[in-house]
Amino acid sequence: IKWTILIFLLPGKHSLHYICTGIAGDPTFPEFILVVVLDGTQIGYYDSNTKTTVSKLDGLNKQTDLDWDVYISYATQQQATFPLKLNKIMKRANHTAGFHIYQRLVGCELDANGNMRGFNQHGYDGEDILSFDKDNLQWTAASQVAVITKDTWNMNHEDCRDTKYFLEETCIRWLKKYVKHQEKISKGKIPPQVSIHARKSENSETLTLTCIATGFYPCDIEVNWIKNGETILYDTLSSGVLPNEDRTFQIQKFIEIHASDTNTYSCQVEHSSLNTTLTY
């Protein structure tokens, strides 16, 4: 499955992704799966076997979310249409049997400056085949198997306008709601747990120093290596900010030095949960 969401979070940036997957040729998988991902963490799930919408965001359910019925309607609608779309694409690709996957990635992103981005992309067997250009209100085919679909969908101007509205209005509204809910259940700010590790290379000539900060919330953080009291601006590598399963975040910063290096190195961490900059 192509769209495994790996998000390197930027300060103040949030994202919401809906990943629909239709599967043919393998009865061990549900025919249809819908996964909802907030800032790189799964918060919702539905599949054609259970036919149940599951919220993985604490406190968000049918009783607390006014949009819950909309989610269920969307999931069941996609479940009904996905096998038909997959069968059409298989025929156009001259695939009559075997294991095949059809996916749809719909979502939006919002940064700290209020800049928005929306996307609606379709893929088949790991390749992009169709995408929506919301500025020009039209679909673009990246593969010959999607040309007929592209032409058909482009003739439905009302549906194109609805797609644009969802990406720019509905999706952003839901994203803001989820982020606000996440901040509420996170009980405010959580400080990072910081540790430093050293690992020698195989030839023992170099040493890789790793500073790990994990378990913090929100995701905005500054981690730097310090050499003899001065911040090292170059020659460092970063994992980027990544989500943990408990909806906190982590980051790793690396630097490589000679094993005989006698300089003093430390790791400096700044986070909104801390009253001051900490050095380890």
Side-chain angles (χ1 to χ4, degrees), residues 41-151:
T41 300
Q42 182 178 322
I43 65 168
Y45 179 86
Y46 175 95
D47 69 49
S48 54
N49 287 352
T50 63
K51 295 182 173 61
T52 301
T53 303
V54 178
S55 171
K56 298 192 176 184
L57 195 58
D58 295 341
L60 190 69
N61 51 51
K62 183 176 178 64
Q63 286 70 41
T64 61
D65 191 349
L66 297 177
D67 292 312
W68 192 263
D69 289 338
V70 178
Y71 308 150
I72 295 176
S73 176
Y74 176 78
T76 54
Q77 180 189 48
Q78 292 300 311
Q79 177 190 334
T81 60
F82 247 64
L84 301 176
K85 293 176 181 177
L86 177 53
N87 287 335
K88 285 183 179 180
I89 294 174
M90 287 177 61
K91 289 180 180 178
R92 291 168 186 167
N94 293 320
H95 294 157
T96 57
F99 179 72
H100 298 284
I101 295 176
Y102 171 53
Q103 288 186 291
R104 180 187 186 192
L105 172 63
V106 184
C108 54
E109 296 175 352
L110 181 66
D111 67 20
N113 297 320
N115 298 314
M116 299 179 293
R117 188 173 82 90
F119 40 87
N120 190 330
Q121 303 166 234
H122 295 244
Y124 176 65
D125 284 353
E127 299 294 333
D128 292 333
I129 62 170
L130 198 63
S131 62
F132 183 68
D133 180 351
K134 65 183 182 65
D135 295 325
N136 294 308
L137 289 176
Q138 65 179 11
W139 291 91
T140 301
S143 170
Q144 191 63 33
V145 300
V147 171
I148 296 177
T149 300
K150 180 259 298 183
D151 292 339

Side-chain angles (χ1 to χ4, degrees), residues 23 34 54 72 80 87 91 97 137 150 155 167-168 194 201 231 233 257 272 274 277:
I23 301 173
L34 168 62
V54 178
I72 295 176
N87 287 335
K91 289 180 180 178
L137 289 176
K150 180 259 298 183
M155 288 189 293
L167 297 177
E168 294 184 342
V194 181
S201 62
T231 301
L233 300 177
I257 63 174
S272 59
L274 304 172
T277 300

Side-chain angles (χ1 to χ4, degrees), residues 2 10 12 40 45 93 121 146 152 162:
K2 182 179 182 181
L10 300 175
Y45 179 86
Q121 303 166 234
T152 302
D162 288 344

